[in-house]
Amino acid sequence: MTDDAKRSGLSRRSFLRSGAAGALSGGLAAGLLTEEAAGAAADTDAPKTVGPGPVEIELEVNGVTRRLAVEPRVTLLDGLRDRLDVTGPKRVCDRGTCGACTVLEEGRPIYACSRLMIESAGRSVTTVEGLGSPDAMHDVQQAFVENDAQQCGYCTPGFVVATAALLARHPAPSEQEIEAGLGGNLCRCGTYKGIRAVVEGAGGGGVSGG
Amino acid sequence: MRPFGYAAPATVDQAVGLLEAEGSEALAGGTDLLSLLKDDVERVERLVALGGVTGLSGIELAGGMLRIGAMTTLQELRDHDDAIAALPALSVAIDGVASPQLRAMGTVGGDLLQRPRCWYYRRGFGLLALAADGRSMVTAGDNRYHAIFPEGEARFVNPSSLAPLLVAVGAEAVVRGPAGERRQPVEALYRAPEVDGERENTLAPGELLVGVEANVEGSRSAVYEVRQRRALDWPLMAAAVSLTGSGARTERARIVLGHAAPVPHVATAAGDLLAGQELTPETVAAAADAAVEGARPMSGNRYKVQLARTAVRRALGRAAGMEI
């Protein structure tokens, strides 16, 4: 991931960078914390400060490039729901402790409530709507239906996305991996048994990730 | 959230320049800062986003030196097989962080510099939580999760998951600021504020944590956390230990408690006790007792003294590869 790529989120070039997270740890290691890095960073021209008024950004939501003007203080969650009418991610705790707002950013599960939308500029975001539709459900969505893994349904979109992320990482997760992988989502109705059945079904080849 | 400006520097020098201005705050993963802004506990004029700054992310392992960029996410570090092999206790510390979402978003620098969880601070009463008459709300109120080693009026605990381990292994923090780069032991990043309004970290305006470096060769380390919940929470108590020495005899031991004091609490006497000793159930128990000597628990957190003792014993056991 280059810094050009990072900055271009604000200069409105849209691109998909799937797999960028994986590349980060290895790819940027060269020059880390070294004199070269310090030397390369010699330019002190301050970049422009934008906001607090609306700022034009572009991001990809469920495969579609979306362009809008948001204030820097708008979270990804509020921007998706209130501005783009993508209401799958739910606003429950709004403090990164319940998981109902879970979305994928560049394939990684994140809390949309705890990210500024402007930080997602130039990136791809996938919500529960992007995984599949009622007519063409994602395997995980189908498995939630079949295993009766929802009750009031408010936590479900976040759980579906977190489950898809877990299975993408661990196609046949162990007990421990399931607990760690879904530990960031809460269900107050207590549908955990059904959700566990969804994930364990994956081990039998019923559900695949991604 | 109140309105604020936003700048996305590309270089460390640009970031430093932006952070020098009053009211500017660094934005890393944002998982803690956004909550503080939503709750109006902290206010900013401008966020300086570090996500696009060159040279802040990445992991390097060469000649026993482990270097971790401050903007490396916890998940990237956890997935870095060489780093985990070099310092296996990192996996315990990282796995203890709240949730996969927060590990994907949260960064190493953000973990080290996250603000305290003290509920008086989080309700806007300040880090020292002093009432109008100057008395401590913490000692008079609910202090079940607070410090057993308070410093002055500071009774919150340092919440970092990585700091105890990094302090135990003698890691250095690399800090860049207007005057250039400086290195200091990770423990020197922290202080107990003496008056309200003072920060609990030692970074001056314009200073930026660039990364951490540790020599991870020739020592055995371990982390043990005592937890109420396995996810979405911080531990009640944590101990990190680092041992050097060959065979059964310990040359040098460093024992650090997390969630025990306003700073990562280095249990110097406990470590000294093990120098030159063989680790046995007896010496380990003696070190655990020494680690809590001088503890000053309050009305509701006496139990944490025993948790600290247990955490030290089990961390030592893990590092030494023995059941204790």
Side-chain angles (χ1 to χ4, degrees), chain B residues 220 222 224 243 247-250 274 277-285 312-324:
Chain B
R220 292 165 293 163
Y224 190 90
L243 308 173
R249 208 164 287 282
T250 299
L274 292 175
Q277 297 287 319
E278 211 169 297
L279 286 193
T280 65
E282 290 73 30
T283 57
V284 164
V312 168
R313 218 173 55 230
R314 293 190 180 163
L316 283 169
R318 273 187 184 174
M322 59 199 264
E323 271 308 315
I324 293 177

Side-chain angles (χ1 to χ4, degrees), chain B residues 239-250:
Chain B
V241 302
S242 174
L243 308 173
T244 57
S246 52
R249 208 164 287 282
T250 299

Side-chain angles (χ1 to χ4, degrees), chain A residues 8-78:
Chain A
S8 67
L10 290 171
S11 55
R12 271 147 290 292
R13 272 195 53 107
S14 172
F15 38 79
L16 244 172
R17 282 178 293 139
S18 49
L24 248 186
S25 50
L28 286 188
L32 170 73
L33 308 182
T34 60
E35 288 305 311
E36 291 86 54
D43 125 49
T44 47
D45 292 349
K48 202 174 154 219
T49 295
V50 297
V55 183
E56 283 265 323
I57 62 164
E58 198 173 271
L59 72 165
E60 193 187 287
V61 179
N62 296 328
V64 179
T65 300
R66 307 294 296 262
R67 189 173 180 167
L68 72 162
V70 287
E71 293 178 34
R73 63 172 163 166
V74 173
T75 62
L76 176 59
L77 176 63
D78 289 348

Side-chain angles (χ1 to χ4, degrees), chain B:
Chain B
M1 277 183 272
R2 291 168 187 271
F4 49 76
Y6 175 93
T11 67
V12 171
D13 282 346
Q14 287 179 353
V16 165
L18 290 161
L19 286 168
E20 270 187 283
E22 184 144 356
S24 287
E25 195 73 54
L27 174 66
T31 57
D32 187 27
L33 182 54
L34 262 50
S35 286
L36 290 165
L37 294 175
K38 287 174 188 176
D39 293 334
D40 211 17
V41 175
E42 297 292 335
R43 293 182 188 181
V44 296
E45 298 292 320
R46 173 175 63 191
L47 289 183
V48 179
L50 302 180
V53 176
T54 306
L56 286 184
S57 291
I59 299 157
E60 218 177 59
L61 183 66
M65 283 300 288
L66 177 63
R67 296 186 173 86
I68 310 167
M71 283 297 287
T72 307
T73 68
L74 296 171
Q75 192 64 55
E76 285 159 7
L77 182 55
R78 184 66 180 83
D79 291 341
H80 198 283
D81 293 340
D82 293 344
I84 298 297
L87 188 57
L90 271 178
S91 64
V92 178
I94 296 171
D95 289 350
V97 174
S99 69
Q101 290 91 332
L102 291 180
R103 291 191 289 273
M105 305 173 79
T107 64
V108 169
D111 173 81
L112 290 171
L113 296 173
Q114 64 182 300
R115 310 302 309 275
R117 303 303 307 171
C118 166
W119 41 39
Y120 297 98
Y121 166 65
R122 297 270 161 178
R123 289 292 170 133
F125 294 111
L127 282 171
L128 301 185
L130 298 174
D133 62 5
R135 292 199 312 167
S136 167
M137 295 182 197
V138 182
T139 53
D142 192 337
N143 48 46
R144 72 183 85 171
Y145 303 130
H146 284 79
I148 55 172
F149 292 101
E151 285 187 37
E153 296 286 353
R155 296 177 176 85
F156 60 86
V157 296
N158 180 285
S160 169
S161 292
L162 297 179
L165 175 62
L166 292 175
V167 172
V169 301
E172 285 199 321
V174 183
V175 174
R176 281 276 294 276
E181 185 179 288
R182 65 187 176 90
R183 278 153 199 269
Q184 57 181 18
V186 167
E187 57 264 45
L189 280 177
Y190 305 105
R191 67 173 173 196
E194 288 172 13
V195 294
D196 240 324
E198 249 176 32
R199 280 283 174 99
E200 73 286 4
N201 69 60
T202 56
L203 297 182
E207 284 195 321
L208 183 66
L209 176 65
V210 175
V212 291
E213 301 186 358
N215 185 346
V216 291
E217 231 169 30
S219 62
R220 292 165 293 163
S221 309
V223 169
Y224 190 90
E225 296 180 342
V226 185
R227 319 183 63 91
Q228 208 158 27
R229 301 178 187 84
R230 270 179 293 176
L232 290 172
D233 209 348
W234 282 256
L236 296 167
M237 180 59 63
V241 302
S242 174
L243 308 173
T244 57
S246 52
R249 208 164 287 282
T250 299
E251 217 164 81
R252 196 186 64 102
R254 214 159 133 80
I255 300 173
V256 185
L257 293 172
H259 306 274
V263 299
H265 181 75
V266 183
T268 312
D272 290 348
L273 208 66
L274 292 175
Q277 297 287 319
E278 211 169 297
L279 286 193
T280 65
E282 290 73 30
T283 57
V284 164
D289 285 341
V292 296
E293 201 147 304
R296 288 180 294 127
M298 291 172 275
S299 56
N301 68 356
R302 193 161 291 277
Y303 73 100
K304 288 183 70 171
V305 176
Q306 182 56 32
L307 297 190
R309 224 183 249 125
T310 303
V312 168
R313 218 173 55 230
R314 293 190 180 163
L316 283 169
R318 273 187 184 174
M322 59 199 264
E323 271 308 315
I324 293 177

Side-chain angles (χ1 to χ4, degrees), chain A:
Chain A
M1 193 184 313
T2 66
D3 28 317
D4 280 337
K6 282 270 194 182
R7 272 175 298 183
S8 67
L10 290 171
S11 55
R12 271 147 290 292
R13 272 195 53 107
S14 172
F15 38 79
L16 244 172
R17 282 178 293 139
S18 49
L24 248 186
S25 50
L28 286 188
L32 170 73
L33 308 182
T34 60
E35 288 305 311
E36 291 86 54
D43 125 49
T44 47
D45 292 349
K48 202 174 154 219
T49 295
V50 297
V55 183
E56 283 265 323
I57 62 164
E58 198 173 271
L59 72 165
E60 193 187 287
V61 179
N62 296 328
V64 179
T65 300
R66 307 294 296 262
R67 189 173 180 167
L68 72 162
V70 287
E71 293 178 34
R73 63 172 163 166
V74 173
T75 62
L76 176 59
L77 176 63
D78 289 348
L80 285 169
R81 291 180 56 83
D82 302 344
R83 301 291 308 283
L84 300 179
D85 203 28
V86 178
T87 55
K90 296 290 182 275
R91 194 184 209 252
V92 179
C93 77
D94 202 29
R95 299 291 184 281
T97 57
C98 78
C101 67
T102 302
V103 301
L104 303 178
E105 188 191 74
E106 303 290 345
R108 303 172 311 151
I110 66 164
Y111 292 139
C113 75
S114 296
R115 189 154 189 86
L116 296 176
M117 192 176 219
I118 196 170
E119 291 266 285
S120 295
R123 297 173 176 237
S124 82
V125 173
T126 305
T127 70
V128 69
E129 292 96 331
L131 291 180
S133 66
D135 300 328
M137 279 195 277
H138 185 278
D139 287 345
V140 170
Q141 292 167 323
Q142 184 72 45
F144 265 71
V145 173
E146 284 167 6
N147 288 283
D148 197 16
Q150 59 279 313
Q151 191 172 320
C152 87
Y154 224 73
C155 71
T156 309
F159 256 115
V160 168
V161 174
T163 302
L166 164 66
L167 293 175
R169 239 178 118 73
H170 304 288
S174 65
E175 185 80 3
Q176 211 183 357
E177 285 164 348
I178 295 173
E179 288 189 4
L182 297 181
N185 294 68
L186 291 178
C187 170
R188 283 299 178 225
C189 302
T191 60
Y192 298 116
K193 195 161 172 276
I195 295 170
R196 193 178 287 272
V198 168
V199 184
E200 282 168 353
V207 175
S208 64

